[in-house]
Amino acid sequence: MNFKSMYQEKLISIPEAAEMVQSGQRLVSAMCASEPVGMLNELERHAERLEDVHVWMCLPMRPYGFYTQPEMEGSFFLENWFYGAMDRKMHKLGMVSYVPNNLHRAGSDRIHAGGIDVFWGTATPPNDHGIMSLSTSLVYERQLIDEADIVILEINENLPWTLGDTQVHITEADYIVENTQPLVELPAIEPTEVENAIGAYIADLIADGSTIQLGIGGIPNAIAQSLFEKRDLGVHTEMFTDGMVDLFEAGVITGREKTLWPNKLVGTFALGTQKLYEFIHNNIAVEFQQGKVTNDPYIIAQNNKMVSINTALQVDVLGQVCSQSIGARHFSGTGGQLDTHRGAQMSPGGRGIIALRSTVKNDTISTIVPHLSPGAEVTVPSQDVDTVVTEYGVAELRGRNVKERAEALIRIAHPDFRAWLKEEVEKLGIVMKIQAPGVDL
Ligand code: COA
């Protein structure tokens, strides 16, 4: 088979690719650095002939016109597995809705709820055997390529060639478009003093030889920086980050003691700087697997000493964790937080950690609260919560009663809010009498 001529036969222009979309269809786009930017930008130009096209995305990286312009209403609707800054703004226009999900089931739940018609993704240019790499994301992409009636892949020469379950053959794409451009980057941010304090507490909870997962947000960056004294850490994560590259290059991450995929950093998508994209390119130490694999709690649990570290917006004294909304205002998503928090606790010697600053908005709001704000979405229920860390210490909640949980959380709340927390908790009758010896109440 001559794959070069097959490539040429499948090659169409970006407007022709958008022309394939029909009214009423369900279109799924690949995510983050694997977004097909050319086709997504083109979509708005087809609004006049299209009605009720539903587009599924996860953490859109750019303000695509098809859902950010009011005149697109009726033509397109964005179904969003994870909100970013743009989606929070656009929510008010009424053309986007969050899809509750545990990330390892995003693809399966879509199939369950009706499937898809069109898949738009990206891939590297094919090799001599007609094989391409799906590159920076396998969260649901591989699964939905198998499901779609029409698969169109946008070839970007800048995409890293990643290894694992990333291969897709030219025969699996119905059409190909070309669009080489720089990958979206998530800049690494210098951790604050508070984040470094949280990182130091967490470093004490991670034994040498542990396998770690780091979530999304500012705090996980700081945690990576507090792990340079560790030895033989492994990675089994949802998201590959720049911090992991630094730890690998410093010889801290070796994966030697991993009980599942030893010696490999395992994950399902990468979002970071060019340094990360260069690191994952053709790197035999980096294993991409589908989200339904990496984030399956039973698979995560096959790593001994698995420690998951994620961030939250609010934790109440029952241990209910909200990481995805500020009150009723939807903020981000569950992503893999519950998947990884559960999987880590099922792992021999494992631990699920939720890390958050004790206050926000210049110390005017406590993130430790008597009860979640009205409308808040629970990300980790009280039944599943394990360890919560702030810059004031560590609260071990797993297996503890509500009184013990409330007292442990008040101990790690900001000192200015501890008396208020005690008073509210007792007034509401959540716990009749709070005792936290040695803590100023
Ligand atoms: N009340 C009011 N506002 C709050 C708040 C609270 N309890 N907690 C945070 N905020 C505000 C912050 O002040 C900040 O606003 P600002 O930028 O105007 O100051 C904003 O909300 C974001 O908070 P921040 O803590 O900086 O967010 P982050 O970028 O570090 O992300 C999460 C934290 C929790 C949103 C993010 O980790 C997430 O979405 N997690 C869920 C998914 C997940 O963990 N997946 C894991 C696998 S990748």
Side-chain angles (χ1 to χ4, degrees), residues 82 216 218 238 310-311 313 323 331-334 337 357 361:
F82 199 99
I216 195 163
E238 171 183 315
N310 293 299
T311 314
L313 300 169
S323 312
F331 192 82
S332 54
T334 305
Q337 182 163 127
R357 294 174 282 159
K361 309 287 179 204

Side-chain angles (χ1 to χ4, degrees), residues 12-52:
I12 57 173
S13 68
I14 288 175
E16 282 171 327
E19 239 2 274
M20 307 264 162
V21 180
Q22 301 302 318
S23 290
Q25 280 191 325
R26 297 149 304 171
L27 186 160
V28 175
S29 160
M31 65 179 268
C32 290
S34 282
E35 272 175 12
V37 176
M39 292 190 283
L40 289 170
N41 272 330
E42 175 68 21
L43 206 47
E44 65 181 274
R45 289 189 264 281
H46 299 253
E48 268 188 25
R49 66 170 185 88
L50 290 175
E51 254 179 62
D52 200 32

Side-chain angles (χ1 to χ4, degrees), residues 188-258:
I189 299 162
E190 261 317 290
T192 63
E193 216 174 290
V194 165
E195 289 169 344
N196 281 331
I198 294 171
Y201 280 116
I202 290 178
D204 285 345
L205 299 174
I206 298 178
D208 289 341
S210 296
T211 292
I212 58 167
Q213 171 266 337
L214 292 177
I216 195 163
I219 292 176
N221 269 346
I223 290 153
Q225 295 195 18
S226 61
L227 297 177
F228 279 94
E229 303 303 314
K230 301 288 168 189
R231 288 167 58 132
D232 288 327
L233 296 183
V235 169
H236 184 110
T237 193
E238 171 183 315
M239 175 171 154
F240 287 118
T241 64
D242 279 63
M244 293 169 186
V245 180
D246 297 335
L247 288 168
F248 182 89
E249 284 174 353
V252 174
I253 288 174
T254 64
R256 264 180 221 132
E257 293 194 25
K258 282 184 82 185

Side-chain angles (χ1 to χ4, degrees), residues 119-436:
F119 179 84
W120 279 1
T122 49
T124 60
N127 67 11
D128 291 345
H129 311 287
I131 294 167
M132 304 172 274
S133 168
L134 287 172
S135 192
T136 68
S137 181
L138 271 194
V139 170
Y140 49 78
E141 288 80 354
R142 178 64 266 182
Q143 199 178 1
L144 294 181
I145 284 173
D146 292 339
E147 188 67 17
D149 294 334
I150 297 181
V151 174
I152 309 184
L153 296 177
E154 190 168 307
I155 305 301
N156 182 350
E157 288 174 15
N158 290 329
L159 284 168
W161 181 285
T162 60
L163 305 174
D165 196 10
T166 55
Q167 79 184 55
V168 60
H169 195 261
I170 183 95
T171 49
E172 295 182 82
D174 295 293
Y175 300 98
I176 299 281
V177 299
E178 289 178 335
N179 184 30
T180 288
Q181 58 166 283
L183 300 193
V184 67
E185 294 190 62
L186 187 70
I189 299 162
E190 261 317 290
T192 63
E193 216 174 290
V194 165
E195 289 169 344
N196 281 331
I198 294 171
Y201 280 116
I202 290 178
D204 285 345
L205 299 174
I206 298 178
D208 289 341
S210 296
T211 292
I212 58 167
Q213 171 266 337
L214 292 177
I216 195 163
I219 292 176
N221 269 346
I223 290 153
Q225 295 195 18
S226 61
L227 297 177
F228 279 94
E229 303 303 314
K230 301 288 168 189
R231 288 167 58 132
D232 288 327
L233 296 183
V235 169
H236 184 110
T237 193
E238 171 183 315
M239 175 171 154
F240 287 118
T241 64
D242 279 63
M244 293 169 186
V245 180
D246 297 335
L247 288 168
F248 182 89
E249 284 174 353
V252 174
I253 288 174
T254 64
R256 264 180 221 132
E257 293 194 25
K258 282 184 82 185
T259 46
L260 183 69
W261 278 297
N263 307 316
K264 305 274 189 197
L265 291 86
V266 177
T268 192
F269 81 99
L271 182 59
T273 68
Q274 194 54 31
K275 176 174 77 177
L276 175 66
Y277 303 139
E278 281 165 24
F279 176 77
I280 62 177
H281 176 66
N282 214 4
N283 186 343
I284 197 169
V286 179
E287 173 80 19
F288 275 76
Q289 284 291 327
Q290 296 188 45
K292 67 178 183 176
V293 175
T294 57
N295 279 26
D296 179 338
Y298 292 96
I299 291 176
I300 295 169
Q302 291 171 37
N303 293 289
N304 287 356
K305 292 199 279 181
M306 177 76 221
V307 184
S308 76
I309 305 150
N310 293 299
T311 314
L313 300 169
Q314 213 177 39
V315 177
D316 74 12
V317 294
L318 297 172
Q320 301 188 95
V321 177
C322 168
S323 312
Q324 59 196 68
S325 74
I326 297 178
R329 187 164 73 90
H330 186 75
F331 192 82
S332 54
T334 305
Q337 182 163 127
L338 183 57
D339 292 337
T340 53
H341 198 74
R342 279 179 171 157
Q345 288 175 77
M346 293 195 291
S347 134
R351 184 193 283 273
I353 297 176
I354 298 293
L356 77 173
R357 294 174 282 159
S358 69
T359 59
V360 289
K361 309 287 179 204
N362 295 324
D363 293 343
T364 57
I365 298 175
S366 175
T367 57
I368 308 289
V369 287
H371 52 78
L372 296 182
S373 300
E377 301 162 30
V378 174
T379 308
V380 177
S382 59
Q383 303 90 314
D384 283 287
V385 77
D386 185 351
T387 304
V388 178
V389 179
T390 72
E391 70 275 24
Y392 291 100
V394 176
E396 307 231 24
L397 308 185
R398 182 176 173 184
R400 309 301 204 279
N401 67 37
V402 173
K403 182 172 186 296
E404 290 168 318
R405 288 174 177 217
E407 288 168 354
L409 285 166
I410 290 173
R411 272 193 205 101
I412 64 161
H414 190 285
D416 291 354
F417 290 96
R418 289 175 190 164
W420 166 75
L421 280 163
K422 171 183 158 63
E423 202 183 307
E424 286 294 306
V425 167
E426 290 177 346
K427 197 167 76 191
L428 291 166
I430 301 170
V431 176
M432 299 319 292
K433 199 159 183 227
I434 290 284
Q435 292 151 316

